[in-house]
Amino acid sequence: MLLIISLVCIPVCLLIGSSLYSERAKQKSLSESLQGMPQYQVEIMRDTWGVPHIFGKTDADTAHGLAYAHAEDDFETIQELLLTIKGKLASVRGKDLAPYDYYVQLFRIWDDVNEKYDALSEDIRSVCEAYADGLNLYASQHPQLLERNVWPVKGKDIVAGFVHKLPLFFGVDNVLKQIYQAKENPKVSQAGLGLQQGIGSNFLAVGPNRSADGATRVAINTHQPWEGPVAWYEAHVVSEEGLNLYGGLFPGSPIVLLGHNQNLAWGHTVNYPDLIDVYKLEINPKNPNEYRFDGQWKSLKIRKVPIEIQIWRNLRWTFHRETLWSEHGPALRNANGVYAIRYAGIGEIGQVEQWYRMGKAKNLEEFKVAMRLHTIPMFNTGYADRKGNLYYVYNALLPLRNEQYNWAGYVPGNSSSTLWTSYLPYDQLPQVENPPSAFLQSCNNNPFQTTTGIGNPNPLKYSPNFGIEDIMTNRALRARELFGNNPSVTRKEFFQYKFDKYYSADSVLAESINRFLEEAKTEDLELTKAIDLIRSWDLQTNIDNRAAALAILTFRPKDRPADFQYDYFLFLKRLKENVDLFKKNFGRIDVPWGKVSRIIRGDIDLPIAGGPDILRAIYSQVINDGRLKGVAGDCFFQIVEWDKQGNLQSWVINQYGSHSWKKTSPHYNDQSPLFAQEKMRPSWFNKEDILKNLERRYSPRQN
């Protein structure tokens, strides 16, 4: 996540050690919150991989157990997230994190949550409150771990987490940063994707008519960071109210966000529509706190918000900072004037309810009913079910903008003619349902090429102002090449295609290399050898490949393919740097890819195939010895299958293990060897299988 704005901290109030948040105060506050807590009926069963299978009488019971189990496995991240949601990071982590707290205040997250929380359905409120109770219970049992300004947690905190996080997925933090830095066009950097890092995801599915054995198969394969607030947590939740979900969720989520139940599976991939608009306000020359709107001067709504920062140990300052609000939304002053922003989903707090309804659906029609709540502002959504139905929707809250304006840059904010208030209806979004090819792929690509053959949406129906992307990632190209050219896909082939390690000859990277090789001229012997090595590359990223390392480090796009620009001299410079790097660290330039590309966690240090924008997606950072340490990409993912009789099987893998917090846990990195070998474990979905593979069973209160 990017820093949003640089803040100058002016101390107003000095708080000294007398305000210590003592262990006694923590315990008292939590004890009061636990008084009258419902007697949740829930049991946690940990399998031999440490994965929690949570059985409750009601959905709320299950959410309570999920919170407790997740806190056991990653309490540090959950507590950090809660500090962020409450706008209290700087009070514990210091002044550098004050921008995060300012974001909470600027966007008035808590105004929306406090005003609208009671309007959420009773069942979703009970789920959120039960989840909060589960966190409070764990916290009360571990007072030594608690930070100030967090506890106790309430259901509203859980809902606020969704409101806080989702705008960051489509780059609102980057836009704020550009405004504060007085960029001439602050909208150009909208797709910063601070949480997602532009790394993408895959959803792949084939129906009975494209499977050799008549099965329906789906790969739910998002590409997330391997650690932190948006790293997947694996869980299985079951209640007597019909909930039976196996899938992934983020810290702070009371529900599974993607996965499968008995009847259906769904997954998400990031899409990149234009969801943010920047307005330049016309300020009254006689009053800097007024702006023109529809011929009248309107007052900006101004608050002086307190932000507390830790200086040293228990020494803290509180300073106040101006926040502005306009008809359009939050606003900021900079050297060029005052700019307001409006973003998809502004004022919406129902995202958690939509995901909850999706997971409770039993068939495609019920799933569509949940999707029509239309509260989630982005994410392609792919679907498959036991009856063989395939479905895709370019899910987004697409603002209905005035076509008379150019929305590529900032627009004038002095008229209601630029103030959009509605979105393209859900049923008019680009969609594909049961295409004749019986194949779907969504790999962060042009939604108008979701399937092969007929059945794709018509791009002519959609205004350019929606900003729907037209790119084809390498992963999309390879998926279409592999599945599209095979009319009878076996189970073995489905797995092989998911782990495909090739760049397409039509990919941005391959085309850039070909162009570079046509232009490359040098009298340097080492560079000549390097160019010849790249010329010999077969575009594969298997661990034994001796040309992949030099080629990928020299030519890989740094962000999305759409952001990639060919630059001969940049590539030549990188090539020289990489030749020197490889000679220094490995003594040669033809280093096997697996010697460079690694998965490293605790005592695990293993070679790993795949690479950036590969179906076997691995995104890495260079470490001190010249090697690449995997940090994102393929992570927790699932392959789900219903055979022609409707019998369910599923497989799963995690890049590390079920326990991401304690290094002493046996499940800290126990899945990494399987992950590196491109193997998956069977999901234990039936209680009988769970009991056969049981490590431990307990209830939270008895733990």
Side-chain angles (χ1 to χ4, degrees):
M1 189 187 303
L2 299 173
L3 281 181
I4 301 168
I5 304 168
S6 297
L7 295 173
V8 178
C9 301
I10 304 174
V12 175
C13 177
L14 188 60
L15 305 179
I16 311 182
S18 59
S19 63
L20 291 180
Y21 190 59
S22 66
E23 299 295 328
R24 184 178 300 174
K26 298 175 194 174
Q27 283 294 86
K28 180 181 178 182
S29 180
L30 276 166
S31 296
E32 290 173 351
S33 74
L34 297 177
Q35 291 176 7
M37 178 188 291
Q39 294 296 311
Y40 295 103
Q41 299 180 53
V42 59
E43 183 177 40
I44 300 170
M45 298 185 184
R46 298 272 187 176
D47 66 29
T48 50
W49 291 101
V51 175
H53 303 259
I54 299 151
F55 290 81
K57 185 174 180 62
T58 66
D59 293 352
D61 292 333
T62 302
H64 181 77
L66 175 62
Y68 191 88
H70 202 166
E72 289 182 297
D73 292 342
D74 196 8
F75 185 74
E76 185 176 288
T77 302
I78 291 174
Q79 184 164 232
E80 192 90 354
L81 177 68
L82 292 168
L83 277 168
T84 305
I85 293 165
K86 290 171 178 278
K88 297 296 184 181
L89 267 176
S91 71
V92 174
R93 300 286 183 260
K95 64 181 179 62
D96 290 345
L97 297 183
Y100 294 82
D101 298 341
Y102 182 74
Y103 165 79
V104 173
Q105 301 272 18
L106 177 67
F107 276 58
R108 301 194 175 183
I109 289 171
W110 282 100
D111 289 46
D112 289 327
V113 172
N114 287 328
E115 177 186 345
K116 301 171 183 178
Y117 180 78
D118 289 341
L120 294 174
S121 62
E122 184 178 353
D123 53 354
I124 195 62
R125 281 186 282 119
S126 68
V127 162
C128 291
E129 286 155 15
Y131 183 88
D133 285 344
L135 295 181
N136 289 332
L137 177 59
Y138 182 86
S140 71
Q141 296 169 350
H142 301 83
Q144 73 281 4
L145 301 176
L146 306 188
E147 302 282 10
R148 68 195 310 275
N149 287 331
V150 176
W151 307 99
V153 179
K154 298 181 180 179
K156 287 183 179 180
D157 295 305
I158 309 309
V159 172
F162 286 80
V163 179
H164 175 280
K165 187 176 296 182
L166 281 167
L168 299 173
F169 266 95
F170 53 84
V172 75
D173 55 334
N174 228 28
V175 172
L176 288 172
K177 183 178 179 181
Q178 300 298 317
I179 293 173
Y180 189 80
Q181 293 176 346
K183 299 293 184 180
E184 290 187 4
N185 183 2
K187 191 171 177 177
V188 295
S189 297
Q190 174 178 331
L193 297 176
L195 287 180
Q196 185 69 14
Q197 300 177 349
I199 54 183
S201 296
N202 302 329
F203 180 88
L204 309 166
V206 294
N209 292 338
R210 204 169 194 86
S211 292
D213 53 1
T216 299
R217 294 189 177 92
V218 55
I220 304 165
N221 179 208
T222 68
H223 302 154
Q224 288 296 117
W226 289 358
E227 298 180 12
V230 286
W232 288 116
Y233 180 68
E234 177 184 351
H236 179 203
V237 291
V238 185
S239 83
E240 296 178 19
E241 294 182 331
L243 188 69
N244 191 359
L245 275 176
Y246 197 120
L249 57 134
F250 293 148
S253 173
I255 42 119
V256 168
L257 301 176
L258 50 74
H260 72 87
N261 59 31
Q262 310 96 306
N263 302 302
L264 57 86
W266 83 95
H268 296 300
T269 68
V270 170
N271 51 6
Y272 305 100
D274 185 353
L275 301 182
I276 305 174
D277 288 314
V278 180
Y279 300 83
K280 186 166 186 179
L281 303 185
E282 181 184 343
I283 298 300
N284 186 345
K286 297 180 180 179
N287 186 342
N289 295 328
E290 290 184 345
Y291 66 104
R292 185 180 295 278
F293 189 77
D294 283 347
Q296 297 182 339
W297 294 115
K298 291 184 69 74
S299 295
L300 288 163
K301 296 178 181 178
I302 301 174
R303 291 180 182 174
K304 293 289 186 179
V305 298
I307 297 178
E308 182 185 16
I309 61 172
Q310 181 191 48
I311 303 303
W312 181 73
R313 293 188 179 180
N314 292 304
L315 182 64
R316 292 176 174 84
W317 285 339
T318 295
F319 68 95
H320 289 76
R321 185 73 173 178
E322 175 188 78
T323 65
L324 307 177
W325 193 269
S326 69
E327 288 284 342
H328 312 280
L332 284 172
R333 301 184 197 269
N334 69 19
N336 298 324
V338 180
Y339 293 82
I341 70 168
R342 191 166 185 81
Y343 57 93
I346 187 169
E348 177 61 65
I349 74 163
Q351 303 90 345
V352 64
E353 183 157 359
Q354 181 176 332
W355 265 303
Y356 173 70
R357 304 290 176 212
M358 290 160 61
K360 294 276 282 188
K362 302 180 187 68
N363 52 50
L364 179 55
E365 285 310 308
E366 289 186 9
F367 190 82
K368 286 184 179 179
V369 169
M371 292 295 293
R372 288 190 184 104
L373 290 174
H374 211 192
T375 59
I376 301 172
M378 62 181 296
F379 302 126
N380 297 298
T381 302
Y383 168 102
D385 65 29
R386 68 185 303 169
K387 293 184 178 180
N389 293 304
L390 303 183
Y391 176 63
Y392 160 84
V393 58
Y394 185 87
N395 179 68
L397 291 172
L398 298 177
L400 292 174
R401 300 175 169 104
N402 188 328
E403 296 289 333
Q404 297 179 5
Y405 291 88
N406 176 12
W407 296 88
Y410 61 75
V411 291
N414 59 3
S415 168
S416 57
S417 62
T418 59
L419 180 63
W420 49 262
T421 57
S422 60
Y423 306 99
L424 186 71
Y426 175 83
D427 288 325
Q428 295 180 32
L429 294 170
Q431 301 183 37
V432 177
E433 183 174 343
N434 291 326
S437 68
F439 161 63
L440 292 178
Q441 65 79 26
S442 177
C443 300
N444 315 108
N445 58 282
N446 178 341
F448 310 114
Q449 297 190 52
T450 296
T451 188
T452 54
I454 62 174
N456 282 304
N458 181 357
L460 299 180
K461 292 183 177 180
Y462 299 96
S463 167
N465 282 334
F466 291 139
I468 297 173
E469 60 269 32
D470 59 4
I471 63 171
M472 288 299 288
T473 61
N474 176 71
R475 290 166 287 112
L477 292 170
R478 285 298 292 163
R480 289 170 62 87
E481 291 166 2
L482 293 166
F483 289 97
N485 291 318
N486 186 347
S488 184
V489 180
T490 66
R491 177 194 286 174
K492 182 179 180 181
E493 288 170 331
F494 191 94
F495 277 77
Q496 287 175 339
Y497 293 167
K498 159 57 208 108
F499 287 105
D500 178 70
K501 289 174 278 294
Y502 279 90
Y503 285 100
S504 169
D506 294 328
S507 66
V508 169
L509 185 138
E511 292 177 356
S512 298
I513 289 176
N514 290 337
R515 182 174 171 184
F516 177 84
L517 292 175
E518 290 175 359
E519 298 180 22
K521 294 180 181 179
T522 180
E523 296 181 0
D524 185 300
L525 183 59
E526 288 293 338
L527 279 180
T528 299
K529 291 179 180 178
I531 291 169
D532 289 342
L533 179 62
I534 290 172
R535 197 184 306 275
S536 72
W537 188 34
D538 62 0
L539 300 179
Q540 190 176 179
T541 57
N542 55 306
I543 60 174
D544 297 323
N545 196 294
R546 288 189 170 272
L550 189 63
I552 291 173
L553 265 69
T554 300
F555 293 97
R556 66 175 178 177
K558 297 300 184 184
D559 297 297
R560 299 179 294 147
D563 300 325
F564 183 82
Q565 293 183 346
Y566 178 84
D567 187 329
Y568 171 79
F569 293 104
L570 173 62
F571 291 146
L572 187 64
K573 177 176 179 289
R574 283 189 194 164
L575 183 60
K576 292 176 181 178
E577 292 172 348
N578 290 325
V579 166
D580 292 341
L581 179 73
F582 284 15
K583 294 282 283 185
K584 174 184 176 182
N585 290 291
F586 305 105
R588 58 193 304 159
I589 61 172
D590 60 339
V591 187
W593 180 231
K595 194 168 184 178
V596 177
S597 178
R598 313 291 292 184
I599 179 170
I600 301 172
R601 172 82 156 178
D603 58 355
I604 293 288
D605 189 339
L606 297 169
I608 190 162
D613 201 17
I614 292 284
L615 282 172
R616 173 43 158 173
I618 303 295
Y619 298 85
S620 306
Q621 292 178 349
V622 178
I623 54 179
N624 292 336
D625 56 5
R627 299 186 302 163
L628 297 174
K629 177 185 177 182
V631 296
D634 272 3
C635 45
F636 164 78
F637 70 90
Q638 300 168 278
I639 291 180
V640 185
E641 170 190 286
W642 287 275
D643 66 19
K644 63 193 310 183
Q645 287 77 39
N647 298 309
L648 170 68
Q649 287 192 77
S650 60
W651 298 264
V652 67
I653 193 62
N654 186 305
Q655 80 282 358
Y656 292 144
S658 65
H659 201 310
S660 59
W661 182 30
K662 294 178 183 175
K663 296 181 180 179
T664 55
S665 168
H667 305 301
Y668 181 68
N669 59 8
D670 57 340
Q671 295 183 50
S672 293
L674 286 178
F675 183 81
Q677 296 166 32
E678 299 171 14
K679 296 179 180 179
M680 301 182 73
R681 347 176 309 264
S683 304
W684 293 314
F685 191 69
N686 299 317
K687 195 167 187 177
E688 180 181 351
D689 291 331
I690 297 165
L691 292 173
K692 288 178 181 177
N693 298 278
L694 190 65
E695 182 178 83
R696 182 183 173 216
R697 63 191 300 180
Y698 57 98
S699 66
R701 280 196 178 273
Q702 296 170 352
N703 192 35

